[in-house]
PDB file of all heavy atoms in Angstrom:
ATOM      1  N   LEU A  36      97.570 113.117  97.040  1.00 84.00           N
ATOM      2  CA  LEU A  36      97.295 111.763  96.558  1.00 84.00           C
ATOM      3  C   LEU A  36      95.794 111.540  96.363  1.00 84.00           C
ATOM      4  O   LEU A  36      95.381 110.816  95.471  1.00 84.00           O
ATOM      5  CB  LEU A  36      97.834 110.719  97.538  1.00 84.00           C
ATOM      6  CG  LEU A  36      99.322 110.433  97.487  1.00 84.00           C
ATOM      7  CD1 LEU A  36      99.707 109.431  98.569  1.00 84.00           C
ATOM      8  CD2 LEU A  36      99.752 109.914  96.135  1.00 84.00           C
ATOM      9  N   ALA A  37      94.994 112.176  97.198  1.00 82.00           N
ATOM     10  CA  ALA A  37      93.539 112.015  97.107  1.00 82.00           C
ATOM     11  C   ALA A  37      92.987 112.619  95.820  1.00 82.00           C
ATOM     12  O   ALA A  37      91.895 112.257  95.395  1.00 82.00           O
ATOM     13  CB  ALA A  37      92.862 112.644  98.320  1.00 82.00           C
ATOM     14  N   THR A  38      93.725 113.516  95.189  1.00 83.00           N
ATOM     15  CA  THR A  38      93.260 114.101  93.925  1.00 83.00           C
ATOM     16  C   THR A  38      93.745 113.296  92.722  1.00 83.00           C
ATOM     17  O   THR A  38      93.158 113.360  91.659  1.00 83.00           O
ATOM     18  CB  THR A  38      93.727 115.562  93.780  1.00 83.00           C
ATOM     19  OG1 THR A  38      95.150 115.592  93.771  1.00 83.00           O
ATOM     20  CG2 THR A  38      93.196 116.426  94.903  1.00 83.00           C
ATOM     21  N   VAL A  39      94.814 112.530  92.889  1.00 84.00           N
ATOM     22  CA  VAL A  39      95.395 111.759  91.795  1.00 84.00           C
ATOM     23  C   VAL A  39      94.872 110.320  91.780  1.00 84.00           C
ATOM     24  O   VAL A  39      94.694 109.733  90.730  1.00 84.00           O
ATOM     25  CB  VAL A  39      96.936 111.759  91.904  1.00 84.00           C
ATOM     26  CG1 VAL A  39      97.571 110.904  90.830  1.00 84.00           C
ATOM     27  CG2 VAL A  39      97.475 113.174  91.859  1.00 84.00           C
ATOM     28  N   TYR A  40      94.638 109.761  92.946  1.00 89.00           N
ATOM     29  CA  TYR A  40      94.225 108.356  93.085  1.00 89.00           C
ATOM     30  C   TYR A  40      92.854 108.251  93.723  1.00 89.00           C
ATOM     31  O   TYR A  40      92.430 109.133  94.457  1.00 89.00           O
ATOM     32  CB  TYR A  40      95.204 107.598  93.998  1.00 89.00           C
ATOM     33  CG  TYR A  40      96.580 107.426  93.432  1.00 89.00           C
ATOM     34  CD1 TYR A  40      97.631 108.248  93.831  1.00 89.00           C
ATOM     35  CD2 TYR A  40      96.853 106.420  92.505  1.00 89.00           C
ATOM     36  CE1 TYR A  40      98.913 108.079  93.320  1.00 89.00           C
ATOM     37  CE2 TYR A  40      98.130 106.245  91.991  1.00 89.00           C
ATOM     38  CZ  TYR A  40      99.150 107.073  92.405  1.00 89.00           C
ATOM     39  OH  TYR A  40     100.401 106.899  91.900  1.00 89.00           O
ATOM     40  N   ASP A  41      92.194 107.119  93.461  1.00 90.00           N
ATOM     41  CA  ASP A  41      91.039 106.743  94.265  1.00 90.00           C
ATOM     42  C   ASP A  41      91.601 106.209  95.579  1.00 90.00           C
ATOM     43  O   ASP A  41      92.751 105.778  95.639  1.00 90.00           O
ATOM     44  CB  ASP A  41      90.226 105.649  93.581  1.00 90.00           C
ATOM     45  CG  ASP A  41      89.352 106.188  92.453  1.00 90.00           C
ATOM     46  OD1 ASP A  41      89.035 107.390  92.479  1.00 90.00           O
ATOM     47  OD2 ASP A  41      89.010 105.396  91.567  1.00 90.00           O
ATOM     48  N   TYR A  42      90.796 106.214  96.607  1.00 91.00           N
ATOM     49  CA  TYR A  42      91.292 105.759  97.900  1.00 91.00           C
ATOM     50  C   TYR A  42      90.211 104.985  98.634  1.00 91.00           C
ATOM     51  O   TYR A  42      89.029 105.074  98.322  1.00 91.00           O
ATOM     52  CB  TYR A  42      91.767 106.936  98.766  1.00 91.00           C
ATOM     53  CG  TYR A  42      90.654 107.891  99.112  1.00 91.00           C
ATOM     54  CD1 TYR A  42      89.874 107.685 100.239  1.00 91.00           C
ATOM     55  CD2 TYR A  42      90.365 108.968  98.290  1.00 91.00           C
ATOM     56  CE1 TYR A  42      88.834 108.534 100.548  1.00 91.00           C
ATOM     57  CE2 TYR A  42      89.327 109.826  98.589  1.00 91.00           C
ATOM     58  CZ  TYR A  42      88.567 109.610  99.713  1.00 91.00           C
ATOM     59  OH  TYR A  42      87.525 110.447 100.013  1.00 91.00           O
ATOM     60  N   SER A  43      90.672 104.212  99.612  1.00 91.00           N
ATOM     61  CA  SER A  43      89.762 103.461 100.458  1.00 91.00           C
ATOM     62  C   SER A  43      90.312 103.481 101.882  1.00 91.00           C
ATOM     63  O   SER A  43      91.485 103.143 102.102  1.00 91.00           O
ATOM     64  CB  SER A  43      89.656 102.015  99.963  1.00 91.00           C
ATOM     65  OG  SER A  43      88.878 101.251 100.839  1.00 91.00           O
ATOM     66  N   VAL A  44      89.484 103.868 102.833  1.00 92.00           N
ATOM     67  CA  VAL A  44      89.861 103.784 104.243  1.00 92.00           C
ATOM     68  C   VAL A  44      89.701 102.322 104.618  1.00 92.00           C
ATOM     69  O   VAL A  44      88.606 101.782 104.601  1.00 92.00           O
ATOM     70  CB  VAL A  44      88.974 104.687 105.124  1.00 92.00           C
ATOM     71  CG1 VAL A  44      89.308 104.494 106.590  1.00 92.00           C
ATOM     72  CG2 VAL A  44      89.134 106.147 104.720  1.00 92.00           C
ATOM     73  N   THR A  45      90.826 101.657 104.930  1.00 92.00           N
ATOM     74  CA  THR A  45      90.786 100.217 105.178  1.00 92.00           C
ATOM     75  C   THR A  45      90.841  99.857 106.650  1.00 92.00           C
ATOM     76  O   THR A  45      90.693  98.691 106.997  1.00 92.00           O
ATOM     77  CB  THR A  45      91.943  99.508 104.439  1.00 92.00           C
ATOM     78  OG1 THR A  45      93.183 100.061 104.884  1.00 92.00           O
ATOM     79  CG2 THR A  45      91.809  99.675 102.936  1.00 92.00           C
ATOM     80  N   ASP A  46      91.052 100.853 107.515  1.00 94.00           N
ATOM     81  CA  ASP A  46      91.066 100.585 108.954  1.00 94.00           C
ATOM     82  C   ASP A  46      90.833 101.892 109.690  1.00 94.00           C
ATOM     83  O   ASP A  46      91.294 102.948 109.253  1.00 94.00           O
ATOM     84  CB  ASP A  46      92.423  99.981 109.353  1.00 94.00           C
ATOM     85  CG  ASP A  46      92.416  99.367 110.746  1.00 94.00           C
ATOM     86  OD1 ASP A  46      91.323  99.181 111.332  1.00 94.00           O
ATOM     87  OD2 ASP A  46      93.504  99.063 111.254  1.00 94.00           O
ATOM     88  N   THR A  47      90.106 101.811 110.792  1.00 93.00           N
ATOM     89  CA  THR A  47      89.859 102.991 111.628  1.00 93.00           C
ATOM     90  C   THR A  47      90.073 102.617 113.093  1.00 93.00           C
ATOM     91  O   THR A  47      90.039 101.442 113.463  1.00 93.00           O
ATOM     92  CB  THR A  47      88.410 103.514 111.470  1.00 93.00           C
ATOM     93  OG1 THR A  47      87.506 102.469 111.825  1.00 93.00           O
ATOM     94  CG2 THR A  47      88.135 103.995 110.050  1.00 93.00           C
ATOM     95  N   PHE A  48      90.299 103.639 113.910  1.00 93.00           N
ATOM     96  CA  PHE A  48      90.354 103.438 115.351  1.00 93.00           C
ATOM     97  C   PHE A  48      88.927 103.249 115.861  1.00 93.00           C
ATOM     98  O   PHE A  48      87.965 103.602 115.179  1.00 93.00           O
ATOM     99  CB  PHE A  48      90.998 104.658 116.027  1.00 93.00           C
ATOM    100  CG  PHE A  48      92.461 104.803 115.713  1.00 93.00           C
ATOM    101  CD1 PHE A  48      92.883 105.684 114.726  1.00 93.00           C
ATOM    102  CD2 PHE A  48      93.419 104.055 116.388  1.00 93.00           C
ATOM    103  CE1 PHE A  48      94.234 105.820 114.423  1.00 93.00           C
ATOM    104  CE2 PHE A  48      94.764 104.186 116.101  1.00 93.00           C
ATOM    105  CZ  PHE A  48      95.172 105.070 115.115  1.00 93.00           C
ATOM    106  N   ASP A  49      88.760 102.685 117.044  1.00 94.00           N
ATOM    107  CA  ASP A  49      87.423 102.466 117.614  1.00 94.00           C
ATOM    108  C   ASP A  49      86.611 103.750 117.660  1.00 94.00           C
ATOM    109  O   ASP A  49      85.394 103.730 117.533  1.00 94.00           O
ATOM    110  CB  ASP A  49      87.524 101.874 119.023  1.00 94.00           C
ATOM    111  CG  ASP A  49      88.008 100.430 119.008  1.00 94.00           C
ATOM    112  OD1 ASP A  49      87.917  99.781 117.948  1.00 94.00           O
ATOM    113  OD2 ASP A  49      88.496  99.967 120.053  1.00 94.00           O
ATOM    114  N   SER A  50      87.296 104.887 117.815  1.00 91.00           N
ATOM    115  CA  SER A  50      86.615 106.168 117.913  1.00 91.00           C
ATOM    116  C   SER A  50      86.256 106.748 116.540  1.00 91.00           C
ATOM    117  O   SER A  50      85.642 107.810 116.464  1.00 91.00           O
ATOM    118  CB  SER A  50      87.489 107.166 118.681  1.00 91.00           C
ATOM    119  OG  SER A  50      88.783 107.205 118.120  1.00 91.00           O
ATOM    120  N   GLY A  51      86.640 106.050 115.446  1.00 89.00           N
ATOM    121  CA  GLY A  51      86.257 106.477 114.113  1.00 89.00           C
ATOM    122  C   GLY A  51      87.340 107.195 113.321  1.00 89.00           C
ATOM    123  O   GLY A  51      87.192 107.378 112.107  1.00 89.00           O
ATOM    124  N   GLU A  52      88.436 107.617 113.959  1.00 90.00           N
ATOM    125  CA  GLU A  52      89.503 108.287 113.218  1.00 90.00           C
ATOM    126  C   GLU A  52      90.151 107.298 112.245  1.00 90.00           C
ATOM    127  O   GLU A  52      90.236 106.104 112.500  1.00 90.00           O
ATOM    128  CB  GLU A  52      90.591 108.840 114.153  1.00 90.00           C
ATOM    129  CG  GLU A  52      90.155 110.005 115.004  1.00 90.00           C
ATOM    130  CD  GLU A  52      89.641 109.552 116.365  1.00 90.00           C
ATOM    131  OE1 GLU A  52      89.478 108.329 116.569  1.00 90.00           O
ATOM    132  OE2 GLU A  52      89.403 110.410 117.215  1.00 90.00           O
ATOM    133  N   THR A  53      90.648 107.833 111.136  1.00 92.00           N
ATOM    134  CA  THR A  53      91.282 107.012 110.113  1.00 92.00           C
ATOM    135  C   THR A  53      92.603 106.445 110.623  1.00 92.00           C
ATOM    136  O   THR A  53      93.435 107.180 111.128  1.00 92.00           O
ATOM    137  CB  THR A  53      91.541 107.858 108.848  1.00 92.00           C
ATOM    138  OG1 THR A  53      90.290 108.351 108.379  1.00 92.00           O
ATOM    139  CG2 THR A  53      92.211 107.047 107.770  1.00 92.00           C
ATOM    140  N   ARG A  54      92.786 105.142 110.465  1.00 94.00           N
ATOM    141  CA  ARG A  54      94.043 104.481 110.842  1.00 94.00           C
ATOM    142  C   ARG A  54      94.865 104.138 109.598  1.00 94.00           C
ATOM    143  O   ARG A  54      96.073 104.273 109.593  1.00 94.00           O
ATOM    144  CB  ARG A  54      93.762 103.209 111.624  1.00 94.00           C
ATOM    145  CG  ARG A  54      95.055 102.497 112.046  1.00 94.00           C
ATOM    146  CD  ARG A  54      94.780 101.237 112.818  1.00 94.00           C
ATOM    147  NE  ARG A  54      94.390 101.598 114.174  1.00 94.00           N
ATOM    148  CZ  ARG A  54      94.044 100.708 115.093  1.00 94.00           C
ATOM    149  NH1 ARG A  54      94.028  99.421 114.801  1.00 94.00           N
ATOM    150  NH2 ARG A  54      93.700 101.096 116.299  1.00 94.00           N
ATOM    151  N   ARG A  55      94.193 103.668 108.515  1.00 96.00           N
ATOM    152  CA  ARG A  55      94.926 103.286 107.304  1.00 96.00           C
ATOM    153  C   ARG A  55      94.101 103.602 106.068  1.00 96.00           C
ATOM    154  O   ARG A  55      92.895 103.345 106.033  1.00 96.00           O
ATOM    155  CB  ARG A  55      95.258 101.792 107.332  1.00 96.00           C
ATOM    156  CG  ARG A  55      96.050 101.363 106.104  1.00 96.00           C
ATOM    157  CD  ARG A  55      96.519  99.947 106.159  1.00 96.00           C
ATOM    158  NE  ARG A  55      95.410  99.034 106.394  1.00 96.00           N
ATOM    159  CZ  ARG A  55      95.559  97.744 106.648  1.00 96.00           C
ATOM    160  NH1 ARG A  55      96.740  97.210 106.718  1.00 96.00           N
ATOM    161  NH2 ARG A  55      94.508  96.968 106.844  1.00 96.00           N
ATOM    162  N   ILE A  56      94.799 104.121 105.046  1.00 95.00           N
ATOM    163  CA  ILE A  56      94.186 104.410 103.757  1.00 95.00           C
ATOM    164  C   ILE A  56      95.051 103.785 102.675  1.00 95.00           C
ATOM    165  O   ILE A  56      96.277 103.877 102.726  1.00 95.00           O
ATOM    166  CB  ILE A  56      94.071 105.928 103.504  1.00 95.00           C
ATOM    167  CG1 ILE A  56      93.139 106.569 104.525  1.00 95.00           C
ATOM    168  CG2 ILE A  56      93.590 106.209 102.085  1.00 95.00           C
ATOM    169  CD1 ILE A  56      93.036 108.070 104.405  1.00 95.00           C
ATOM    170  N   ARG A  57      94.412 103.164 101.709  1.00 94.00           N
ATOM    171  CA  ARG A  57      95.120 102.644 100.536  1.00 94.00           C
ATOM    172  C   ARG A  57      94.650 103.425  99.315  1.00 94.00           C
ATOM    173  O   ARG A  57      93.476 103.752  99.194  1.00 94.00           O
ATOM    174  CB  ARG A  57      94.868 101.154 100.365  1.00 94.00           C
ATOM    175  CG  ARG A  57      95.606 100.358 101.432  1.00 94.00           C
ATOM    176  CD  ARG A  57      95.781  98.948 101.050  1.00 94.00           C
ATOM    177  NE  ARG A  57      96.774  98.326 101.933  1.00 94.00           N
ATOM    178  CZ  ARG A  57      96.975  97.038 101.978  1.00 94.00           C
ATOM    179  NH1 ARG A  57      96.278  96.235 101.201  1.00 94.00           N
ATOM    180  NH2 ARG A  57      97.884  96.541 102.779  1.00 94.00           N
ATOM    181  N   PHE A  58      95.589 103.677  98.408  1.00 94.00           N
ATOM    182  CA  PHE A  58      95.327 104.455  97.198  1.00 94.00           C
ATOM    183  C   PHE A  58      95.427 103.548  95.975  1.00 94.00           C
ATOM    184  O   PHE A  58      96.317 102.697  95.902  1.00 94.00           O
ATOM    185  CB  PHE A  58      96.344 105.599  97.082  1.00 94.00           C
ATOM    186  CG  PHE A  58      96.224 106.599  98.194  1.00 94.00           C
ATOM    187  CD1 PHE A  58      96.889 106.410  99.394  1.00 94.00           C
ATOM    188  CD2 PHE A  58      95.434 107.727  98.043  1.00 94.00           C
ATOM    189  CE1 PHE A  58      96.777 107.326 100.425  1.00 94.00           C
ATOM    190  CE2 PHE A  58      95.314 108.648  99.076  1.00 94.00           C
ATOM    191  CZ  PHE A  58      95.988 108.441 100.264  1.00 94.00           C
TER     192      PHE A  58
END
Side-chain angles (χ1 to χ4, degrees):
L36 281 177
T38 62
V39 177
Y40 293 101
D41 282 337
Y42 63 88
S43 175
V44 175
T45 58
D46 194 12
T47 59
F48 292 99
D49 289 341
S50 52
E52 291 93 351
T53 301
R54 181 180 283 178
R55 181 174 55 188
I56 296 177
R57 288 200 166 168
F58 296 87

